[in-house]
Amino acid sequence: MAHRAVLKFTRRAMSGFTPKQLKGPGLCAFQLIGDPILTEHYAKAGFQAVLVDMQHGIYSESIAFQCIHRLEKFPNCFPMVRVSDNNPGLIQRALDAGAHGILAPMINNAEEAKRLVASCRYPPLGVRSWGPTRALASYNTVEANNAIKVIAMIETADAIKNLDEILDVEGLDGAFIGPCDLSISLGAPPLSNPTAPHVVEAITKTREGCQKRGKIGMIFVGDKARAQEALEEGWSLCIPAADISWMTETIANIVEIGRASCRERV
């Protein structure tokens, strides 16, 4: 009887699962500031996705998961997590918490991409362990496998050299350009909007590779103007800098009002 009761509860609890769609072209908010209220505001503002950054974001796993949970009530905003490493434990905890998309850094070859995909999919497509502790779970593992988007971060010279092999990995849904790390790896200054011709060529190669295969192409850029250009070029999702940059820029503009007023009185 106890087993039947648990099974009935599990089916009922998971019956409301509605997979979200990652729609593009559009914008993705890059959340470095760990506050779930901000996550809600990004969704309300109309971002197609929010990327909760557990690699460089300065906040705990608990706060990161709360940010993901706040997106449950926004059907048109896709919750994504950038994990700190291509580690099955980190990836599966983020998925169990409700993430619909996973970005893993420093994917340099097809073998690493295959491990990433395997961590995100239930058998027979992968090795994800069953333990969906949040409501965004599906009793149908096929449905769950189809709902999750798996994105490899392309940010090294090795990744560019192995790009075709990486993008050809079955189950990999797309690639994300990290322009600063990619620039450093290619011997150029770490710029959000790279200008070195060989870096620009590598970025273009990634976009064209994604387009050719019908995969998601994501890119981080430094400002609104470049974001508009990137979407016109054919990128699926564009991140127009990180939220901490938006805040510091806005603060500087506000403070300048006071400084200007003081200068006028002198």
Side-chain angles (χ1 to χ4, degrees), residues 28-233:
C28 174
F30 193 89
Q31 187 165 356
L32 281 174
I33 303 172
D35 191 326
I37 294 177
L38 289 177
T39 315
E40 291 185 324
H41 280 295
Y42 300 151
K44 288 178 183 177
F47 280 99
Q48 280 85 344
V50 174
L51 179 61
V52 176
D53 187 19
M54 297 184 69
Q55 182 183 23
H56 294 301
I58 310 301
Y59 44 93
S60 68
E61 183 183 73
S62 175
I63 294 296
F65 291 172
Q66 288 179 47
C67 293
I68 297 168
H69 300 162
R70 294 296 180 93
L71 293 177
E72 291 178 7
K73 59 186 176 182
F74 297 98
N76 296 319
C77 190
F78 196 84
M80 310 183 78
V81 169
R82 176 167 73 166
V83 293
S84 60
D85 185 43
N86 188 16
N87 178 296
L90 298 176
I91 291 168
Q92 292 177 34
R93 283 184 64 78
L95 291 173
D96 289 347
H100 273 58
I102 293 291
L103 275 73
M106 300 291 179
I107 302 300
N108 295 316
N109 53 57
E111 195 59 38
E112 293 176 357
K114 289 176 183 177
R115 289 202 299 270
L116 168 61
V117 171
S119 295
C120 296
R121 308 272 194 243
Y122 291 115
L125 301 181
V127 296
R128 182 181 174 188
S129 175
W130 180 259
T133 53
R134 193 61 187 176
L136 294 180
S138 172
Y139 187 73
N140 184 332
T141 56
V142 174
E143 185 179 46
N145 282 344
N146 290 335
I148 301 304
K149 298 302 179 186
V150 186
I151 311 293
M153 293 194 66
I154 305 298
E155 47 189 348
T156 66
D158 283 342
I160 296 299
K161 181 177 67 175
N162 300 318
L163 183 63
D164 287 331
E165 297 175 10
I166 293 171
L167 293 179
D168 284 338
V169 169
E170 186 174 356
L172 185 73
D173 295 294
F176 176 99
I177 283 289
C180 294
D181 280 318
L182 180 59
S183 296
I184 293 170
S185 182
L186 293 174
L191 301 176
S192 296
N193 297 334
T195 56
H198 64 297
V199 179
V200 174
E201 181 182 357
I203 293 172
T204 301
K205 179 181 178 182
T206 304
R207 172 176 54 78
E208 291 176 346
C210 289
Q211 289 175 312
K212 177 182 177 181
R213 294 166 175 83
K215 298 198 172 188
I216 299 165
M218 294 182 64
I219 187 170
F220 181 99
V221 299
D223 53 56
K224 180 180 177 181
R226 175 60 189 132
Q228 183 64 48
E229 292 177 357
L231 293 176
E232 291 172 356
E233 290 168 0

